[in-house]
Amino acid sequence: SLRFPQKLWKMLESSKFQSIWWSEGGKCVAINKDLFEVEVLGREGQRVFHTQKMKSFMRQLNAYGFTKVQQNFQRSASLPEFLAEEAAASAHSQILYYYNPSFNRAHPWLSETCKRR
C-alpha cells in the first residue's frame, strides 16, 4: 500500500478526480472541500484514504508537513464590485490550498522526502 504522499500525488496526476488539483504552478495542492468530501471521502468500497472525515484528512496533510495557504483578495471600493468580489470569495473559500516545499509537481523525486512528523 502507498504512503499518504504517494496517494496524494497519484490523485493529483489522475483525471478521475475533479475535487483536487495542482495550483500555483504545481507548488500547491488545491482542494474543493465540499466536492472532495463527496468524491473522495464519501466513496463506498474503493477508499483512497483511511478516513471519511475532512478534519482527519487535513490532519494527515499537517502530519506530512503541509501548511494551509491563505489566498489574498484585493477588495474594490465600489459597492457593486465589492459584492461581486464577496460572492467570488465565498465560492473561493470552499477551496483549500496546501503547500509543502517537498511536494512540487516539477520535482516529483522530492515527494520521497515527505515524512510523517
Side-chain angles (χ1 to χ4, degrees), residues 2 5 14 19 30 42 47 100:
L2 296 172
S14 165
S19 60
R47 291 227 179 278
N100 181 325

Side-chain angles (χ1 to χ4, degrees), residues 13-26:
E13 292 296 313
S14 165
S15 57
K16 284 186 205 167
F17 301 98
Q18 305 302 304
S19 60
I20 186 167
W21 63 94
W22 290 105
S23 81
E24 307 295 325

Side-chain angles (χ1 to χ4, degrees), residues 5 9 14 16 34 43-44 46 62 64 80 87-88 101-104 115-116:
W9 190 280
S14 165
K16 284 186 205 167
D34 290 347
R43 281 182 127 188
E44 292 300 319
Q46 278 188 296
N62 292 328
Y64 279 93
S102 300
F103 204 83
N104 185 318
K115 302 282 186 239
R116 192 174 176 90

